[in-house]
Amino acid sequence: MANRTNIKPLHDYVLIRPQKADTKTASGIILPENVKEKPQMGTVMAVGAGWHNNDGQTFPLAVKVGQLVIYTKWGGNEVKVEHEEWKLVKESDILAIAE
């Protein structure tokens, strides 16, 4: 199992800690695990060095550690970090920065 200090994404990958899924509806109904929505918003925990073009130039990523981002629902890979499921996604799977 990884811990947050030993994960450094490569190239244009971003490590995201998803926000917790809602456990109840606005009216107070408690949701069982199998019907909860997958979170699409999370905090950037680590970023790769950037992407490379065919000439070998490196271009930095647009997101930075600590930013709150919205990402695609089914994109990326789940990574277990200190008993939590985090996401490792390509920068292209990030749709927006929430400010």
Side-chain angles (χ1 to χ4, degrees):
M1 179 182 334
N3 65 48
R4 64 183 76 202
T5 59
N6 68 1
I7 298 176
K8 176 68 175 151
L10 298 176
H11 309 295
D12 61 340
Y13 279 92
V14 178
L15 184 65
I16 298 174
R17 181 182 190 184
Q19 287 186 336
K20 301 288 183 197
D22 289 334
T23 56
K24 37 175 134 165
T25 65
S27 60
I29 298 171
I30 297 175
L31 298 170
E33 283 295 319
N34 61 344
V35 297
K36 288 181 187 173
E37 284 285 317
K38 281 186 152 242
Q40 289 181 263
M41 188 175 273
T43 303
V44 174
M45 302 305 287
V47 297
W51 60 275
H52 307 280
N53 67 7
N54 292 338
D55 296 328
Q57 290 178 295
T58 301
F59 296 90
L61 302 184
V63 297
K64 295 175 180 52
V65 173
Q67 288 182 315
L68 188 62
V69 294
I70 300 169
Y71 53 92
T72 58
K73 189 178 252 186
W74 304 108
N77 296 294
E78 290 184 351
V79 179
K80 194 158 193 104
V81 179
E82 297 177 356
H83 306 291
E84 292 181 320
E85 293 289 335
W86 289 11
K87 298 284 273 189
L88 191 58
V89 302
K90 283 190 149 292
E91 185 186 37
S92 59
D93 287 334
I94 296 175
L95 305 173
I97 297 170
E99 296 180 351

